[in-house]
Amino acid sequence: MLALFLSSSSYPTLSFFSRSVTLNFARRTTLSALTMSMNLKTHAFAGNPLKSKTPKSTDPFSPTSAFESLKTLIPVIPNHSTPSPDFKVLPFSKGRPLVFSSGGDANTTPIWHLGWVSLADCKVLLASCGVDLNEDSLVYLGPKVEEDLVYWAVDLAEDGFVSELGGRKLCFVELRTLMVAADWADQRAMDELAIAGNARALLEWHIVSRFCGSCGGKTVPKEAGRRKQCSNETCRKRVYPRVDPVVIMLVIDRENDRALLSRQSRYVPRMWSCLAGFIEPGESLEEAVRRETWEETGIEVGEVVYHSSQPWPVGPSSMPCQLMLGFFAFAKTLDINVDKEELEDAQWHSREEVKKALAVAEYRKAQRTAAAKVEQICKGVERSQSLSTDFNLESGELAPMFIPGPFAIAHHLISAWVDQAPGDVHSKQQAGVSLSSL
């Protein structure tokens, strides 16, 4: 079973509508939640601008051509003129991308940016970890032809440390923190998050695929790191980046206008989300939805409707990138029998309950708090914050429940159901039309 959740250290601060809160304020908050869903043009980690299309092998921006240029350049670093196309590298340390922060003051929210470095700076960073730069150290991410650039990623393999580079204070930050800190209404921020997610997935895959699963021989990078191959001449098995497909579903009780939400013991208090689970071999997507729902809650599901999908590169390093496949699933039975080995609890929630949960979670506040945390890390003065502090509320009350933020596909499955007429759900594309009319 896979649960879509955020660590307690990075989850949104909440507020609860006390009786003293005016109706107008409640309406503004609800409208803000709907606007938030409309502003998100694509799911977090999707829409990578470097992955729109792969250039042909003869193109200077292609993996093949760029790799050959890279081999020529590395031996003459730093004494070489700027090539065309030029190369930029995104370093990682233990799954954390290099970033810097800018723009934070008393009136503005800090903005994080990816910490791209030159080949020369990359060589210095690797040397500080006792590693020599070579062409097989780097993984091809893609080009920006209009900027005459090709982008790469590199794993420092150890705890890298960067105090200042090119006048910027740089730091390595967990991708989950960056996910919460990214402004979902800012296309640049979402693009950079998608690039960082793709890079992390590729680098983690390289780490867990060092040896051939067929003969045990050592694997070597090929096609600028986009695949690997067994070095054993009698095997030479090709190995491609791993993607783990996961179904995530909002189970709906049509007759009573309710949705089934679940909790795991590792969730932060009062957080509820969708059911989810890995697809098994020889199983269709619809079968996986029905099986997982039955195994975890004892609910039988009939009709299954696809909504949308989301890359999810922030799981454990043993699974470099999950692909979340989102569905609405309509219940045939209603009695819940929770599998306590998988879930802490599962309950039916009315549309009004879920709508209120969407309204009370301060996702914007969480984004600003996480962005400020990134800035503090880059300044070298990160301050710890307890979970209890995150949930302190002005009214002294606690929200009875809340759901994951807009960076998670669970949020969009749930909010799409809430925003439709009872008994009516659509695909993401259809729902987008309905939301845009609000």
Side-chain angles (χ1 to χ4, degrees), residues 306-325:
Y306 175 75
H307 177 266
S308 60
S309 62
Q310 177 184 28
W312 193 249
V314 289
S317 58
S318 60
M319 292 176 284
C321 188
Q322 290 135 34
L323 177 63
M324 310 300 294
L325 301 158

Side-chain angles (χ1 to χ4, degrees), residues 234-376:
T234 62
C235 179
R236 298 187 64 80
K237 182 180 179 66
R238 292 188 173 201
V239 186
Y240 290 91
R242 172 175 167 173
V243 176
D244 296 281
V246 177
V247 289
I248 177 167
M249 48 279 186
L250 182 66
V251 180
I252 298 168
D253 170 12
R254 255 195 185 120
E255 183 176 348
N256 298 296
D257 198 26
R258 301 181 299 178
L260 182 67
L261 299 178
S262 65
R263 277 191 49 77
Q264 279 206 346
S265 58
R266 50 186 173 174
Y267 283 8
V268 294
R270 298 176 304 283
M271 190 182 96
W272 294 77
S273 189
C274 299
L275 298 175
F278 288 100
I279 300 169
E280 294 185 354
E283 188 173 55
S284 72
L285 300 178
E286 294 83 356
E287 288 170 333
V289 168
R290 296 184 181 108
R291 175 185 53 78
E292 284 287 343
T293 304
W294 168 255
E295 289 177 354
E296 294 177 1
T297 66
I299 299 290
E300 289 188 27
V301 163
E303 182 184 3
V304 175
V305 179
Y306 175 75
H307 177 266
S308 60
S309 62
Q310 177 184 28
W312 193 249
V314 289
S317 58
S318 60
M319 292 176 284
C321 188
Q322 290 135 34
L323 177 63
M324 310 300 294
L325 301 158
F327 295 89
F328 296 112
F330 295 94
K332 294 169 62 178
T333 62
L334 304 179
D335 292 337
I336 300 173
N337 183 16
V338 176
D339 181 350
K340 291 295 185 178
E341 292 185 4
E342 295 282 359
L343 301 175
E344 181 181 272
D345 197 7
Q347 295 180 14
W348 291 109
H349 295 271
S350 70
R351 188 184 298 265
E352 287 306 312
E353 287 178 310
V354 178
K355 184 178 291 187
K356 187 173 184 179
L358 276 170
V360 300
E362 295 183 3
Y363 299 115
R364 273 296 184 193
K365 184 175 180 180
Q367 187 259 323
R368 292 191 296 268
T369 300
K373 179 180 180 181
V374 173
E375 184 181 42
Q376 293 297 313

Side-chain angles (χ1 to χ4, degrees), residues 8 13 269-270 385-393 398:
S8 59
T13 307
R270 298 176 304 283
Q385 187 176 19
S386 68
L387 179 61
S388 59
T389 301
D390 287 340
F391 287 86
N392 283 345
L393 307 171
L398 296 174

Side-chain angles (χ1 to χ4, degrees), residues 72-277:
T72 303
L73 285 172
I74 287 177
V76 296
I77 291 174
N79 301 314
H80 64 78
S81 58
T82 302
S84 180
D86 194 6
F87 300 138
K88 295 294 182 183
V89 183
L90 181 61
F92 277 71
S93 174
K94 294 188 174 181
R96 298 169 297 167
L98 187 67
V99 302
F100 68 98
S101 182
S102 66
D105 56 36
N107 300 313
T108 60
T109 302
I111 301 171
W112 64 265
H113 307 265
L114 294 177
W116 299 102
V117 301
S118 66
L119 282 177
D121 288 334
C122 180
K123 185 175 184 178
V124 171
L125 288 175
L126 285 172
S128 69
C129 298
V131 178
D132 292 328
L133 176 64
N134 65 67
E135 61 271 15
D136 288 336
S137 304
L138 306 180
V139 174
Y140 177 90
L141 298 180
K144 280 192 177 179
V145 177
E146 67 279 7
E147 297 179 16
D148 198 33
L149 288 171
V150 175
Y151 293 92
W152 305 77
V154 66
D155 178 27
L156 298 186
E158 297 181 11
D159 270 328
F161 175 75
V162 180
S163 59
E164 189 166 337
L165 198 62
R168 302 172 300 174
K169 291 186 179 296
L170 298 155
C171 57
F172 293 98
V173 180
E174 291 286 349
L175 197 56
R176 282 181 177 268
T177 302
L178 297 177
M179 173 179 69
V180 181
D183 182 350
W184 54 83
D186 181 349
Q187 190 60 51
R188 178 213 59 82
M190 299 306 289
D191 287 350
E192 292 204 335
L193 186 65
I195 292 169
N198 174 241
R200 181 186 189 272
L202 286 172
L203 291 173
E204 292 292 331
W205 169 72
H206 273 275
I207 292 171
V208 300
S209 61
R210 292 174 177 171
F211 299 95
C212 175
S214 181
C215 74
K218 185 178 180 180
T219 58
V220 293
K222 295 289 183 180
E223 296 180 15
R226 298 199 308 159
R227 71 172 177 89
K228 302 184 85 171
Q229 186 166 310
C230 180
S231 59
N232 184 343
E233 289 296 328
T234 62
C235 179
R236 298 187 64 80
K237 182 180 179 66
R238 292 188 173 201
V239 186
Y240 290 91
R242 172 175 167 173
V243 176
D244 296 281
V246 177
V247 289
I248 177 167
M249 48 279 186
L250 182 66
V251 180
I252 298 168
D253 170 12
R254 255 195 185 120
E255 183 176 348
N256 298 296
D257 198 26
R258 301 181 299 178
L260 182 67
L261 299 178
S262 65
R263 277 191 49 77
Q264 279 206 346
S265 58
R266 50 186 173 174
Y267 283 8
V268 294
R270 298 176 304 283
M271 190 182 96
W272 294 77
S273 189
C274 299
L275 298 175

